[in-house]
């Protein structure tokens, strides 16, 4: 099983990273600009790219693409009987209806989901996880969590809580925009 390898020094105190070098260069080249936001947001951006790689690796170990994981885990989180309408899946995955139709078709061909008639709407359908889809989602989630634990390993539980709270402050306004 492949795992994301992260070389961790014993201590990061006093260690310079790529963002430190980038910020120093901008301060030298553009001393008239306040580049302090780069110190936080460039690190968030770089971390997002590293997380994307780790997630892709975790999902590929279970034969899934990131979008497949998103749909399967949306259904898995719904609880038994692990089904949602395509509209509910749209809301959770933030894609267009055409994209969702294509994704459901592809997952159904793989035997990971099935379409069922909606008993409350004669024209509607429900998308339900198959047992194989549920197993694949569960295994991929376990792999993802192992990758993410490795990334966070150098932080104490208290530091992880503090970081989660600070990031929540930054993301909540975006997640709560009406419309």
């Amino acid at each position: 099983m492949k795992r994301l390898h992260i070389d961790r020094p014993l201590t990061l105190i006093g260690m310079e990273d790529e963002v430190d070098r980038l910020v120093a260069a901008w301060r030298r080249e553009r001393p008239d600009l306040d580049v302090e936001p780069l110190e936080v947001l460039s690190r968030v951006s770089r971390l997002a790219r590293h997380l994307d790689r780790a997630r892709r690796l975790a999902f590929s170990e279970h034969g899934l693409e990131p979008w497949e994981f998103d749909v399967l885990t949306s259904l898995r989180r719904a609880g038994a009987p692990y089904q949602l309408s395509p509209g509910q899946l749209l809301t959770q995955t933030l894609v267009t209806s055409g994209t969702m139709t294509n994704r459901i078709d592809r997952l159904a061909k793989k035997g990971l989901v099935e379409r069922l008639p909606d008993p409350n709407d004669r024209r509607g359908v429900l998308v339900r996880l198959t047992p194989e889809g549920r197993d694949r989602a569960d295994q991929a989630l376990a792999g993802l969590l192992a990758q993410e634990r490795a990334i966070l390993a150098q932080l104490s539980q208290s530091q992880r809580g503090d970081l989660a709270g600070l990031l929540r402050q930054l993301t909540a306004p975006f997640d709560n925009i009406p419309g």
Side-chain angles (χ1 to χ4, degrees), residues 67 96-109 115:
W67 68 265
T96 66
S97 61
T99 298
M100 183 53 65
T101 298
N102 180 275
R103 289 179 175 186
I104 293 167
D105 288 345
R106 291 171 66 186
L107 288 168
K109 282 181 186 174
R115 282 189 175 90

Side-chain angles (χ1 to χ4, degrees), residues 69-141:
F69 178 82
D70 288 345
V71 174
L72 296 178
T73 56
S74 291
L75 293 165
R76 180 65 172 99
R77 286 190 312 269
Y82 311 111
Q83 64 188 27
L84 294 169
S85 71
Q88 290 169 310
L89 284 169
L90 288 174
T91 300
Q92 291 193 22
T93 59
L94 301 175
V95 298
T96 66
S97 61
T99 298
M100 183 53 65
T101 298
N102 180 275
R103 289 179 175 186
I104 293 167
D105 288 345
R106 291 171 66 186
L107 288 168
K109 282 181 186 174
K110 286 182 151 186
L112 301 176
V113 302
E114 59 185 345
R115 282 189 175 90
L116 304 169
D118 185 338
N120 300 317
D121 179 357
R122 290 181 11 191
R123 295 175 297 167
V125 297
L126 294 173
V127 180
R128 180 185 294 169
L129 268 181
T130 63
E132 182 182 348
R134 181 179 170 189
D135 289 345
R136 194 89 67 91
D138 286 349
Q139 291 169 11
L141 177 61

Side-chain angles (χ1 to χ4, degrees), residues 7-16 154:
D7 287 321
R8 299 234 184 263
L10 294 176
T11 179
L12 295 177
I13 308 255
M15 180 179 252
E16 188 177 73
Q154 70 188 25

